[in-house]
Amino acid sequence: MKFPMSKVLRRTLLSSVLLISLPLLVSCDGLGDFGDKNEDPTQPTEVEPRFLFPQVQLNTPGSWSTMNRANHRVASAAIQQMASTSFFWVGNTYDRDVGEDNTITLWQDLWDPLVNLQQAIAFLRQKKENGEDVEPQIAQARIWRAYIYQLMTDTHGDVPLQDGAKGAIEQEFDPSFDPQEAVYDTLFTELNAAVDQLDGPGDGFGNQDLLTYQGNVEQWKKFANSLRLRLAMRLVKRDAARAQSEAEAAANASGGLIVSVEDNARNLHQSDPGRNRQNPNSWALDESEMGYPSQTFVNWLQQRNDPRLTVYGAVVRDGEALNVTDTDEVKGLPNGYVSDRAPNLENHPSWTKSCRNESGEIVGSDTEDTNCTIEDYMQTHPELLDDDEPLFHITSGQVHLLLAEANVRGWDVPGTAESHYRAGVRQAMKRLAAYGPQAEISDTKITDYLNENPFNADGTQEEKLEQINEQYWAATYLDGIEAWSNWRRSGYPELEPVPIDAEGTGPGGGLSGNDTDGQIPRRLRYSEDEERLNTESLQEVLDRQGPNELDTRVWWDVEQ
């Protein structure tokens, strides 16, 4: 399903490029105020928030570069939704030295939208003081700010929350970092207060809102509460009691949660010759060097006769998906293999499985007459990569599965574990229709799947948690950052790291596993600019959190 952008939005996005060179002003509103110490009264204050807000949304969770590097090369590969034969896929090799930019690009990309967003909040606050009714707009901006900080802290750890915009405003590049625990405290407070503020006088951002909500206050409440639920579940290993209290509060909060596909939080995008407005996720995979559904992911879907297999992936020839009817004959790319190093992919057993000719017909194993190629492996389905495809932030399928887990843990949330499991799987499949009719999965197929893969009601608590979180993993294809975060906090699915030998060499040859001791990466690194320009503050973080490396765990990611 495609959603054309309004003329107002087109003008908004074109106008927003003029804001890049403007000095920035930061202020806040209500509970969770980050402080006014960064305000500069000598700078212009007339920029309209309606110019800033959609551009901020467009750039969250980052540019095509972040989608390519952080979301796919690191996160999707680390949790084995994707694989690649490219040397630069850090999540595939565990070697940051071959792809340093991949591990810092999200940190770099999110600061511009964050500072612009805080500027918008400051301008809205001025409007409020001048008697204008803008409470819902302030609330929506605060919710989006919380979402950005959630992305940053979950991937990196401690972040500069109180002083985050000082560099852009005061040209001071030594902000203090807030511990992740304090960041989470603030985000819980902010989201709770913002939901209340949405009921204040005035309207939302309307058609300047890039989400399909178009400023709808009731849908924004569901977004905020669902984000709060996500944050609560992150804490299950660190502070189970706090996780429970916050999850129960979110699940029973005014306004409810995202529990239907109509309320999914997703951006509107469109084709654009300058690529300013297209889906960065689509652009990243269209331009990315060899990102494929992984063998681990494809095998999991095959074993369960999952109808998402042929929606997520396809055997592709000349940019077109082939009509493959026997899904047992498709194959995913194994993680850890690099094409230009020996032994390489051709040494893996999967290489000679399901070799195909130019028409896509299976012609047998690799012989003198039949040469297998990388094109014999599934690729992300081309129909998911159009410029105007949606980009999802939180979905009803995810929310139902989180509620299923909360039920398994015995918490006071509505429904039952089984009802939320079934709804979560169904909603996760139904949301794919947003990519167009070719991605739609029928109710009959979904029901058949649930009958073949029922909730394990008689299983142990751990078996139930494993089943639920494996479904969460299956529901988050193309959202590698969220899938990676949920894997780190839940431990599911159970994944085998890519094999690294005693010399630190991976299966692709010459891949150093020493950056993580052969373990799956658990965070992104802070940038070299942070190390160079903010040495003292960063050292405080490292003393508290651990080395600035891929295998250092963030505060909530407790080893068990």
Side-chain angles (χ1 to χ4, degrees):
M1 185 180 299
K2 314 300 181 187
F3 291 86
M5 288 191 175
S6 66
K7 293 180 180 179
V8 173
L9 181 54
R10 290 191 180 95
R11 291 198 303 270
T12 296
L13 295 180
L14 289 173
S15 301
S16 66
V17 299
L18 302 175
L19 301 173
I20 296 174
S21 61
L22 288 174
L24 299 177
L25 172 67
V26 174
S27 180
C28 304
D29 187 87
L31 294 176
D33 195 329
F34 297 166
D36 296 336
K37 59 186 175 183
N38 293 328
E39 291 185 3
D40 185 348
T42 69
Q43 302 297 353
T45 60
E46 299 302 319
V47 180
E48 273 292 323
R50 63 189 177 90
F51 294 149
L52 287 165
F53 192 64
Q55 185 68 19
V56 168
Q57 291 179 302
L58 190 67
N59 291 329
T60 309
S63 67
W64 79 270
S65 179
T66 292
M67 291 293 96
N68 185 14
R69 294 172 176 173
N71 194 50
H72 298 312
R73 291 185 187 179
V74 179
S76 291
I79 44 86
Q80 297 173 27
Q81 288 179 327
M82 287 188 177
S84 176
T85 58
S86 169
F87 192 59
F88 295 103
W89 280 56
V90 175
N92 202 50
T93 64
Y94 310 164
D95 186 354
R96 70 174 175 86
D97 292 332
V98 301
E100 180 74 14
D101 288 347
N102 299 320
T103 67
I104 62 174
T105 186
L106 183 140
W107 182 262
Q108 295 171 327
D109 271 5
L110 285 183
W111 281 114
D112 280 346
L114 182 62
V115 171
N116 282 346
L117 181 59
Q118 298 200 162
Q119 182 186 23
I121 292 173
F123 295 153
L124 286 168
R125 185 186 185 197
Q126 291 176 358
K127 287 175 176 288
K128 176 184 172 182
E129 291 175 350
N130 291 335
E132 296 187 45
D133 293 334
V134 292
E135 296 279 14
Q137 291 183 28
I138 296 173
Q140 289 168 7
R142 292 170 72 186
I143 293 165
W144 203 260
R145 179 176 61 185
Y147 174 46
I148 292 178
Y149 272 117
Q150 175 250 304
L151 289 167
M152 295 184 73
T153 190
D154 283 351
T155 50
H156 292 275
D158 297 358
V159 296
L161 188 71
Q162 302 293 337
D163 295 342
K166 286 179 66 177
I169 297 163
E170 301 176 9
Q171 297 301 299
E172 293 184 15
F173 301 100
D174 59 347
S176 298
F177 284 66
D178 296 87
Q180 188 177 67
E181 181 178 12
V183 173
Y184 261 64
D185 286 343
T186 299
L187 297 185
F188 284 131
T189 300
E190 272 286 282
L191 291 169
N192 183 49
V195 169
D196 291 339
Q197 192 175 20
L198 283 167
D199 285 327
D203 298 316
F205 277 102
N207 61 5
Q208 277 80 42
D209 179 5
L210 259 187
L211 294 181
T212 53
Y213 299 166
Q214 297 288 274
N216 182 287
V217 166
E218 296 307 313
Q219 288 181 304
W220 271 90
K221 289 180 182 178
K222 295 175 182 180
F223 178 38
N225 291 332
S226 299
L227 181 58
R228 187 179 179 188
L229 175 64
R230 172 188 285 181
L231 290 167
M233 300 306 289
R234 294 282 199 264
L235 304 184
V236 291
K237 292 194 297 186
R238 168 57 69 179
D239 187 344
R242 180 72 185 276
Q244 178 178 354
S245 64
E246 292 292 348
E248 290 176 347
N252 295 288
S254 169
L257 297 164
I258 296 172
V259 291
S260 68
V261 291
E262 292 78 16
D263 292 323
N264 284 344
R266 56 191 179 97
N267 273 11
L268 296 167
H269 292 279
Q270 71 177 55
S271 298
D272 170 24
R275 287 186 159 176
N276 295 315
R277 297 185 289 264
Q278 76 172 69
N279 184 333
N281 218 356
S282 303
W283 182 4
L285 282 176
D286 189 43
E287 296 287 324
S288 176
E289 58 280 337
M290 300 172 292
Y292 297 81
S294 82
Q295 183 182 70
T296 305
F297 194 60
V298 169
N299 287 354
W300 189 94
L301 295 169
Q302 284 175 322
Q303 290 162 7
R304 290 157 181 80
N305 196 25
D306 196 312
R308 287 171 289 194
L309 176 61
T310 53
V311 176
Y312 288 156
V315 179
V316 178
R317 291 289 187 273
D318 298 324
E320 297 293 328
L322 301 180
N323 183 22
V324 176
T325 57
D326 188 352
T327 55
D328 289 335
E329 293 295 339
V330 298
K331 59 184 179 180
L333 192 71
N335 288 89
Y337 286 77
V338 175
S339 58
D340 59 350
R341 303 211 170 194
N344 58 29
L345 183 60
E346 294 181 22
N347 299 99
H348 191 272
S350 67
W351 182 258
T352 55
K353 174 189 174 183
S354 303
C355 301
R356 299 174 185 270
N357 61 22
E358 286 301 313
S359 300
E361 300 168 319
I362 295 178
V363 291
S365 299
D366 191 15
T367 68
E368 292 182 1
D369 300 320
T370 305
N371 292 316
C372 293
T373 71
I374 189 70
E375 288 189 332
D376 295 325
Y377 291 89
M378 294 194 86
Q379 299 178 33
T380 298
H381 203 295
E383 296 294 342
L384 304 187
L385 303 181
D386 290 341
D387 294 349
D388 55 356
E389 299 295 3
L391 190 150
F392 292 89
H393 301 285
I394 301 180
T395 69
S396 57
Q398 294 171 13
V399 171
H400 277 294
L401 291 169
L402 292 177
L403 290 171
E405 177 173 338
N407 278 134
V408 168
R409 294 181 179 277
W411 299 351
D412 182 17
V413 299
T416 65
E418 182 169 6
S419 66
H420 284 302
Y421 169 83
R422 292 181 64 86
V425 172
R426 184 173 294 276
Q427 297 280 320
M429 293 187 184
K430 295 296 285 185
R431 66 109 184 173
L432 296 173
Y435 291 103
Q438 76 290 335
E440 187 172 354
I441 300 175
S442 70
D443 287 328
T444 298
K445 287 185 177 180
I446 298 173
T447 299
D448 289 344
Y449 178 83
L450 286 167
N451 289 337
E452 293 175 21
N453 301 273
F455 179 65
N456 187 7
D458 296 327
T460 66
Q461 183 181 71
E462 279 305 311
E463 288 171 340
K464 294 173 183 177
L465 294 179
E466 180 177 21
Q467 184 183 30
I468 290 166
N469 284 287
E470 283 186 352
Q471 286 292 341
Y472 199 98
W473 178 64
T476 47
Y477 189 71
L478 296 185
D479 190 359
I481 290 172
E482 175 56 25
W484 184 40
S485 293
N486 194 69
W487 172 80
R488 287 180 290 145
R489 71 100 192 161
S490 72
Y492 297 114
E494 293 185 353
L495 301 173
E496 288 292 330
V498 298
I500 304 293
D501 66 21
E503 284 72 39
T505 301
L511 302 182
S512 170
N514 293 332
D515 288 334
T516 64
D517 291 325
Q519 298 304 306
I520 297 172
R522 306 200 74 90
R523 64 176 291 273
L524 300 179
R525 300 182 68 254
Y526 299 115
S527 71
E528 291 181 355
D529 286 344
E530 223 46 70
E531 295 176 338
R532 179 170 53 89
L533 299 173
N534 196 16
T535 306
E536 185 175 341
S537 294
L538 184 60
Q539 188 57 52
E540 293 177 1
V541 174
L542 304 186
D543 291 342
R544 177 171 59 234
Q545 180 171 279
N548 189 21
E549 298 295 347
L550 299 174
D551 58 344
T552 295
R553 293 168 180 259
V554 301
W555 168 76
W556 53 251
D557 182 13
V558 179
E559 186 170 8
Q560 292 183 332

